[in-house]
Amino acid sequence: MINERTISVLRQKIDQLDDQLTDILLERFDLCNRIGNSKSEIGAKLEDLDREREIIDRIAAQIDGKLSREEIKAIFLPIFQISRNLQHEEK
């Protein structure tokens, strides 16, 4: 039976996952900045929509229908946008 204690424990687990997600996102953004710097050095375009589609496709295949493609996009498109914004700020 679900009770307040169970909800509290589940929320604590969510908080831990949120902390991990934050750390992972910060690491991802750092790597994106490094890629952006490398692209600038060689004169390559910062935006790579093919790469973004590749990521969406890979994740969709990996999670095997647990989320729809639109839900995956709803999660990752803002991440891609933040990554691009940070790359442009660095330049």
Side-chain angles (χ1 to χ4, degrees), residues 7-88:
I7 292 170
S8 178
V9 168
L10 293 173
R11 285 181 174 161
Q12 286 175 356
K13 288 181 181 183
I14 288 173
D15 289 346
Q16 290 171 350
L17 290 172
D18 288 344
D19 292 345
Q20 291 174 15
L21 281 169
T22 300
D23 290 342
I24 290 167
L25 285 169
L26 290 174
E27 182 177 358
R28 187 188 198 288
F29 294 145
D30 180 61
L31 292 170
C32 288
N33 282 335
R34 291 168 59 188
I35 289 169
N37 289 336
S38 296
K39 284 181 174 182
S40 289
E41 287 179 17
I42 62 172
K45 191 170 78 165
L46 289 178
E47 288 186 31
D48 189 345
L49 298 179
D50 288 337
R51 171 68 177 147
E52 292 178 8
R53 275 190 290 282
E54 179 184 303
I55 292 167
I56 298 294
D57 291 344
R58 179 178 51 81
I59 291 167
Q62 179 181 337
I63 64 171
D64 194 30
K66 293 180 179 138
L67 292 174
S68 73
R69 185 172 194 76
E70 290 307 310
E71 290 167 327
I72 295 167
K73 285 173 142 181
I75 294 166
F76 278 88
L77 291 180
I79 293 170
F80 298 154
Q81 183 62 52
I82 292 167
S83 297
R84 283 192 300 270
N85 290 346
L86 291 171
Q87 286 179 3
H88 287 291

